[in-house]
Amino acid sequence: MMPDSEASRFEPVIGLEIHAHLLTESKIFCSCRTSFGAAPNSHVCPVCLGLPGALPVLNRRVVELAIRAGLALGCTVQRCSIFARKNYFYPDLPKGYQISQYEQPLASDGMLSYETEEGQRTVRITRVHLEEDAGKSLHAGETQSRHTTLDYNRSGVPLIEIVTEPDLRAPATAGDFFARLRAVLMAIGVNDGNMEEGSLRCDANVSLRPRGETALGVKVEVKNLNSFRFLQRALEHEIIRQADCLEMGEEVVQETRLWNEARGRTESMRSKEEAHDYRYFPEPDLPPIEVSDEWISEVRASLPELPETRKQRYLRELGLSATEAGQLAEQADLAQFFEDTARTAGNAKTAAHWVMGEVTRHLKTDGVGIDQVGVTADALGRLVGLVDSGVISSSTGKTVFEKMYGSGLEAEEIVERENLVQIGDRNELEALVTRVISEQPDAAARVRGGHEGTLGFLVGRVMKASRGRANPKLAGELLRQQLRAPGVT
Amino acid sequence: MTERLTRTEVERIARLAHLELDDAEADRLTRQLGDILTYFERLREVDTSGVEATTHPVSAGPRMRDDQSRESLPRDEAVAGAPDAADGLFRVPKVIG
């Protein structure tokens, strides 16, 4: 490995190709199910097995979801686009060609724009096109077996391929972009974001050029980047490998390389030059895809708010911090839960605090999503309201929350039954404060002597003596008064 | 008029299509494919200015189906036509992944 200073003589130029399964019930050209994990070859038919004479019929929902993705990514959706055959031989491709789009893709010329710590970033989207997925090769018992076995359940599962312009300049930036794109695709209900099951996959094109140079260097395509970590690690490795080549005066070979996670390096696929001659031609078995203006408007009108837009709204209108806004806006269902809580509570900032604190902690411990949360947004909102208006202290709020969670009990019920209303009455609290001072003569003396830190300790004792019901601010005030400590208001 | 199709090109196309041609077949196909291309050269002489290019002979309109799944083939039937299969999986000579 070479030190950063040397590697940084070159600027990496990165573009991504993302394949995303579309969330349909049936495949793109036949009525077989798309569900993952079924018994091998139980979701196949003459069309997706490529049997002679079988003809494809396009699934309307596939087109609709692709339009959705195209619009969410700011693309122009073409009124007329065509399918093409991409010809190559591989056992997972039963027909000997993949039905894809080549010239005239469904959508093109878009962008994804978002806030980062370094400011606004815009990555241009070259195109979004439709294609069918291939089957799955299983190389089980790799050393002994003389066979490769094939499961065609995935053959014909609808995909969109999203191609970016080479606008990314660093592995971390590429990883961040991929995460943002994933969030968008999930938010609009196009893809489930599941990278382990392969429903979202990523390939990267990367080249280097001397800093300051505008012409692009020779690019290498890196495949098999099926997690954010793989993507970042593979790019880091590949950039160093190419920099080494260039430093030694060698040329980078234009090729496809596979990321080998176990070995921590990219490896050449050593495929013959000819394998890349796909001989695309228009698919004669499928008519052009015609999309009316009405259809596009309909899809556009049905698009939900995107995470980035939502984040901006939380920052601008609700006054949340960037961290809060970012985390709450990311997933639509969590965002909805937060907004419902905030509406009932009447205070977005306190609601955000509770959703990101107590609620998220519970979800994490239970290992579930917000769809299985143990409290309704309305009930939580009422609890937050009680805390926010000072009826109960925030530490009592936490106790009440624990009792509400999973029980269906209302905050008001618990507070009333257990007599938890905050002691905001001076006289009532005064007695408690006097008692604590007499019980803690040493601490009291230290506060009298001006030791500010010890005041907190005494406030804690008052809270404990009141079973969390004391208003901590008022308790502090009364302690100061009785001890004639500095800072008396 | 473009250049005539060469035998090297025919061999390359055959290789891409995984076709094995013996010498006689390669010669015959070079001639026949060449004739077809020559015919297309003649078609190119027709004045098509003002005619929109098309990839499909018919504009079928939106002939799409609804997103509804149906039963697939029974598993034994799915692999029945395969030269080699085991446990419901198609088998091919080992491919280096």
Side-chain angles (χ1 to χ4, degrees), chain A residues 170-480:
Chain A
T173 317
D176 184 40
F177 167 78
F178 187 29
R180 309 270 184 163
L181 181 65
R182 175 173 178 268
V184 170
L185 295 177
M186 289 170 73
I188 61 176
V190 157
N191 180 268
D192 64 11
N194 192 330
M195 294 193 275
E196 286 107 76
E197 290 178 3
S199 45
L200 186 65
R201 314 194 286 262
C202 180
D203 302 333
N205 287 303
V206 55
S207 64
L208 294 190
R209 63 185 174 194
R211 292 199 180 273
E213 173 70 56
T214 50
L216 293 171
V218 176
K219 76 170 175 191
V220 167
E221 184 178 10
V222 189
K223 286 184 178 282
N224 204 23
L225 310 175
N226 300 329
S227 76
F228 296 112
R229 204 172 77 96
F230 286 14
L231 170 63
Q232 211 161 314
R233 274 174 40 95
L235 285 173
E236 279 161 8
H237 168 274
E238 182 58 23
I239 286 164
I240 291 168
R241 190 192 68 84
Q242 290 186 22
D244 280 343
C245 268
L246 296 171
E247 285 290 344
M248 292 194 294
E250 289 169 12
E251 277 177 23
V252 173
V253 181
Q254 176 157 1
E255 61 177 347
T256 301
R257 300 177 70 88
L258 269 188
W259 172 244
N260 185 325
E261 175 66 16
R263 295 204 178 118
R265 64 182 194 204
T266 63
E267 293 169 348
S268 176
M269 288 179 76
R270 279 182 294 269
S271 39
K272 279 181 244 161
E273 203 45 47
E274 277 176 355
H276 290 293
D277 186 347
Y278 293 127
R279 293 150 294 143
Y280 284 98
F281 64 88
E283 167 57 77
D285 287 344
L286 287 160
I289 310 169
E290 286 169 12
V291 178
S292 67
D293 289 347
E294 292 75 37
W295 197 6
I296 296 174
S297 315
E298 241 170 68
V299 176
R300 194 190 297 279
S302 75
L303 275 178
E305 183 178 43
L306 294 178
E308 186 61 24
T309 321
R310 188 152 54 222
K311 181 183 165 186
Q312 294 307 320
R313 183 163 60 82
Y314 288 176
L315 285 173
R316 214 177 43 246
E317 293 173 17
L318 304 182
L320 302 192
S321 74
T323 317
E324 291 170 332
Q327 287 191 26
L328 290 171
E330 177 97 358
Q331 285 168 271
D333 46 3
L334 183 67
Q336 192 58 53
F337 183 87
F338 155 67
E339 289 187 35
D340 293 345
T341 305
R343 193 173 314 110
T344 307
N347 185 331
K349 281 180 83 81
T350 324
H353 184 76
W354 278 81
V355 173
M356 284 184 61
E358 304 305 306
V359 174
T360 310
R361 190 157 34 247
H362 256 281
L363 297 178
K364 225 179 221 164
T365 312
D366 300 347
V368 297
I370 190 74
D371 54 326
Q372 291 182 56
V373 70
V375 61
T376 67
D378 255 1
L380 177 62
R382 281 191 288 275
L383 169 65
V384 174
L386 291 178
V387 174
D388 202 49
S389 59
V391 173
I392 56 174
S393 69
S394 108
S395 75
T396 302
K398 285 181 187 170
T399 313
V400 173
F401 180 82
E402 292 305 323
K403 292 186 176 173
M404 288 169 70
Y405 204 89
S407 73
L409 289 173
E410 278 286 337
E412 291 90 338
E413 275 176 72
I414 298 169
V415 168
E416 198 169 316
R417 196 181 61 206
E418 308 198 3
N419 187 25
L420 296 173
V421 174
Q422 178 162 270
I423 307 171
D425 179 73
R426 287 185 95 89
N427 294 333
E428 201 179 331
L429 206 52
E430 196 89 48
L432 270 178
V433 165
T434 312
R435 203 180 90 203
V436 166
I437 289 173
S438 68
E439 282 169 7
Q440 303 286 339
D442 294 351
R446 276 201 295 281
V447 175
R448 279 201 192 88
H451 194 270
E452 186 67 15
T454 309
L455 188 72
F457 167 76
L458 287 177
V459 171
R461 303 307 297 190
V462 174
M463 294 306 293
K464 199 169 172 208
S466 71
R467 290 185 301 121
R469 290 166 58 222
N471 176 333
K473 199 168 160 246
L474 184 58
E477 228 172 80
L478 293 174
L479 278 164
R480 278 201 169 99

Side-chain angles (χ1 to χ4, degrees), chain B:
Chain B
M1 198 71 169
T2 51
E3 274 173 49
R4 192 102 190 151
L5 186 74
T6 65
R7 188 175 148 137
T8 318
E9 284 171 298
V10 170
E11 283 166 354
R12 183 171 159 275
I13 293 162
R15 215 163 36 243
L16 284 169
H18 286 204
L19 294 175
E20 270 179 49
L21 303 180
D22 62 30
D23 278 357
E25 283 172 322
D27 281 338
R28 195 174 71 242
L29 283 169
T30 305
R31 197 174 60 245
Q32 290 179 344
L33 289 171
D35 288 346
I36 293 168
L37 289 175
T38 307
Y39 181 67
F40 273 90
E41 286 300 328
R42 274 185 65 202
L43 286 179
R44 282 171 73 161
E45 290 164 22
V46 178
D47 179 13
T48 55
S49 53
V51 180
E52 208 182 322
T54 179
T55 52
H56 293 75
V58 286
S59 171
R63 206 166 290 171
M64 299 184 205
R65 60 178 182 84
D66 290 334
D67 181 28
Q68 278 163 4
S69 61
R70 284 213 300 257
E71 279 311 300
S72 299
L73 287 176
R75 285 182 76 201
D76 51 344
E77 223 172 282
V79 298
D84 189 11
D87 307 323
L89 287 157
F90 293 82
R91 288 211 302 190
V92 296
K94 185 170 174 151
V95 179
I96 306 301

Side-chain angles (χ1 to χ4, degrees), chain A residues 137-157:
Chain A
S137 319
L138 307 162
H139 310 279
E142 251 167 286
T143 41
Q144 296 103 15
S145 177
R146 290 175 300 113
H147 295 106
T148 293
T149 53
L150 289 137
D151 170 11
Y152 291 113
N153 282 347
R154 204 178 63 183
S155 169
V157 168

